[in-house]
Amino acid sequence: MPEMTYRDALNLALKEEMRRDPSIVVWGEDVALYEGSFKVSRGLLAEFGEERVLDTPISENTIIGVAVGAAMGGLRPVAELMTVNFALLAMDQIIDHMTKIRYMFGGQVNLPMVIRAPGGGGSQLAAQHSQSLETYFMHAPGMRVAYPATPADAKGLLKTAIRDNNPVMFLEHELLYNSKGEVPDDPESLVPFGKCDVKRSGTDITIVAYARMTILALQAAEELAKENISCEVVDLRTLAPLDAETFVASVKKTGRAVVVEECWKTCGLGGEIATRIYDGCFDSLRAPVRRVSGLDVPMPYSRKLEKLCIPQVADIVAVVKETMAAKY
Amino acid sequence: MPEEIIGSCAVKRLNILDPQGNADENLLPPLNGQDIRRLYELLVLSRTFDGRALALQREGRLGTYPSILGQEAAQVGSAFALEKSDWVFPSFREMGMHITLGYPMHLLYQYWAGDERGLATPTGLNILPICVAVGTHIPHAVGAAMAASYRGDRNAVVCYFGDGATSKGDFHEGLNMAGVFRAPVVFICQNNQWAISVPFDRQTAAPSLAQKAWGYGFEGIQVDGNDIFAVYRATRTALEKARNGGGPTFIECHTYRIADHTTADDASRYRPPEEVADWREKDPILRLRRFMTQRHLWDEAYERHVQEEATAAVDEAVHRAESAPKPAATEIFDYTNAELSPRQQRQRKEVG
Ligand SMILES: Cc1ncc(C[n+]2csc(CCOP(=O)(O)OP(=O)(O)O)c2C)c(N)n1
Ligand SMILES: [Mg+2]
């Protein structure tokens, strides 16, 4: 398998899918000539032309709105939001239309569209450009949310998202674009939605994470292994549908769980996951489920303060150790 | 250096048929006697449908309902210019359009009674679900039009909304994008002077809505919205332009909401009765009848016949709507997603 970056894996997924299906179009701000603010659409304009790769005016709500209309009209649009932060401008179209039209139309139309949105914190972009809004999208019925951690998953999940007949919110972590990994080059190698991936097996404790938090969890597991704590790291991969079965099975085995979420703690997705664990295997638990979360403040600009607000490897290590030490 | 004028916007208004029923012969669209009678029958049918809806609501047989009284020409006239294959993105006050395009009236009653199966458009018609959120469907229409031009379809797209919707971001962003990409879309605004209790001059400081199109780089026109010939002619011209790659058009139908905003409203609390009386004089059906009388297309016997037919059709539609079998409660899950999540599957079982 060739090794490539998360960015290139996404780019390859777009190219392969666009070659396969002429109804796929890519619309967004600076996606064509500029090739995307994170260069994920590199080479698309050159290969597929202006007909399919379109720079739009700065109108987030309407970029999503026209994608909804075009999906009803028989295309499979991939709309790029420059960053997930600007999804807030488009929440009406995302929540009230994209996820509801199939329902309100009695199933007469599908909305095979994808919103690609880079996001997450850690680049010193301050309060309005560093958000982790994943929980907002998971809350809406009818939405699918993918958030890959590795280049292989990035490629396989994006291809699945594009082929899916449901609207998909496809989140990408800005700090992962340069990360490298092996990626299958078979254009038919897809990663299914609603299936967690056990990225490391272990016996003492389960760490449930997603996207960049999975990478941090794996680093924490490595450190903890030196202290003879064996962590199982479960990567959610898709936040909706949520594969509770896999992480519940893992916790049944280990008896302990820590959830790592980059988003704000209050009403964050970690609460949902903890509940699923309590519902699914309360009797197997040997300690309460703990959460390592973003702090409940707008993201500070200062590098040091920003670090304080986003879960770090050391935070995960500390909470895992506390959970291991807990006696009930 | 002196200032120079780099652009100026002329706002056109089209009026063909005056309230007395006199028409400008040069502007009359090419409609024969049969077409004109058909238009009249559709106007009467729309008004009959609407009056019955209000009565059913008072009896508790329909939910909250927005009357189209006084706006029938704007709806029937524009829809009459459409082809069945065209795509229509309606708001919530265009039942005259539905009826003109042959959307079954019993489905409309079903919908307004709270049965969402009423939005299941029969095959062969491309009428999208009624959009109650003000103006949010404008981007959808633009996107569908962009898709049509990418696919090389000959279909045009029509989007209906009210004067209130023109204050929405969706309107400005949507029309801007339609202009940029020359999307084959016709925007039809029913400027009925009111958005619930808010009058036209609180939506905009501009003297017309039509002129807004100029700012987005395409043509806008105001038509007398109670003049069915003007509405028809403007829509036809705009559709031809859209089909021939000429891009979007904005049509402002200058009309009036004679009724309350909905059955949950009492408009007498916020607007003078003289204003309503004034507009009743400009009634769209009355003026077409006067025109037809001049041309010997109308007499009492014909009127009786048209009224009887309309009443019978509405009776039948009400009967069909009310005898539709009840849906199963579990159907609320059926269309949330192409596949249900395990949790949704469990919830569905609990409901059933
Ligand atoms: C986004 C949104 N804001 C507010 C409302 C509540 N609302 C329903 S109809 C209406 C007035 C609409 O006025 P207009 O666009 O002129 O249409 P009309 O009712 O006159 O046909 C309002 C404010 C809504 N449905 N959606
Ligand atoms: Mg209005």
Side-chain angles (χ1 to χ4, degrees), chain A residues 259-314:
Chain A
V259 186
V260 193
E261 58 193 331
E262 184 167 341
C263 57
W264 292 307
K265 186 161 197 171
T266 300
C267 297
L269 66 92
E272 176 70 34
I273 288 162
T275 304
R276 303 270 186 140
I277 294 171
Y278 288 127
D279 280 352
C281 58
F282 186 78
D283 292 339
S284 317
L285 282 171
R286 288 191 274 169
V289 180
R290 292 283 303 274
R291 292 163 67 191
V292 183
S293 318
L295 298 190
D296 284 348
V297 291
M299 193 65 77
Y301 197 172
S302 140
R303 188 175 294 286
K304 280 187 182 158
L305 294 176
E306 181 182 45
K307 253 190 155 170
L308 200 68
C309 292
I310 302 172
Q312 304 293 324
V313 174

Side-chain angles (χ1 to χ4, degrees), chain A residues 14 17-18 21-28 31 44 48-54 66-67 70-71 74-80 112-114 162, chain B residues 143 146-147 150-151:
Chain A
L14 285 169
E17 291 307 297
M18 289 180 82
D21 182 351
S23 69
I24 299 166
V25 294
V26 171
W27 293 348
V31 295
L44 296 190
F48 302 103
E50 276 182 18
E51 287 250 275
R52 297 178 67 185
V53 187
L54 210 56
V66 296
L75 301 189
R76 303 183 87 88
V78 179
E80 176 176 306
M113 60 176 285
V114 181
I162 291 171
Chain B
M146 288 167 70
Y150 173 67
R151 287 153 54 103

Side-chain angles (χ1 to χ4, degrees), chain A residues 92 96-97, chain B residues 66-67 71 75 91-94 131-136 161-168 170 189-198 203 257 260-262:
Chain A
D92 176 59
D96 226 18
H97 300 280
Chain B
S67 172
Q71 299 178 219
Q75 304 176 10
S91 77
F92 47 85
R93 202 189 296 284
E94 284 96 22
C131 185
V132 178
V134 171
T136 55
F161 47 85
D163 44 300
T166 66
S167 304
K168 288 287 306 288
D170 306 78
C189 176
Q190 296 187 81
N191 176 3
N192 63 5
Q193 314 303 323
W194 291 91
I196 312 186
S197 69
V198 180
Q203 300 295 346
R257 192 194 83 207
D260 298 325
H261 170 67
T262 64

Side-chain angles (χ1 to χ4, degrees), chain B residues 12-31 36 39 73 77 221-237 254 284 287-288 290-291 294-295:
Chain B
K12 274 194 262 177
R13 179 179 164 104
L14 180 65
N15 194 177
I16 301 175
L17 182 65
D18 74 14
Q20 282 65 50
N22 304 310
D24 183 331
E25 294 292 336
N26 296 326
L27 292 174
L28 264 182
L31 295 164
I36 292 169
L39 284 173
I221 183 171
Q222 188 183 78
V223 302
D224 179 338
N226 289 6
D227 166 354
I228 197 160
F229 295 139
V231 174
Y232 172 78
R233 189 191 166 101
T235 312
R236 233 181 86 138
T237 309
H254 195 245
R287 86 171 67 171
L288 184 62
R290 287 175 175 151
F291 171 85
Q294 287 176 19
R295 312 252 160 162

Side-chain angles (χ1 to χ4, degrees), chain A residues 22 61-62 93 97 108 166 272, chain B residues 121 136 140 150 337-338 343:
Chain A
N61 190 53
T62 290
Q93 285 298 338
H97 300 280
Q108 287 190 88
N166 300 289
E272 176 70 34
Chain B
T121 304
T136 55
H140 305 162
Y150 173 67
N337 237 325
R343 178 178 266 180

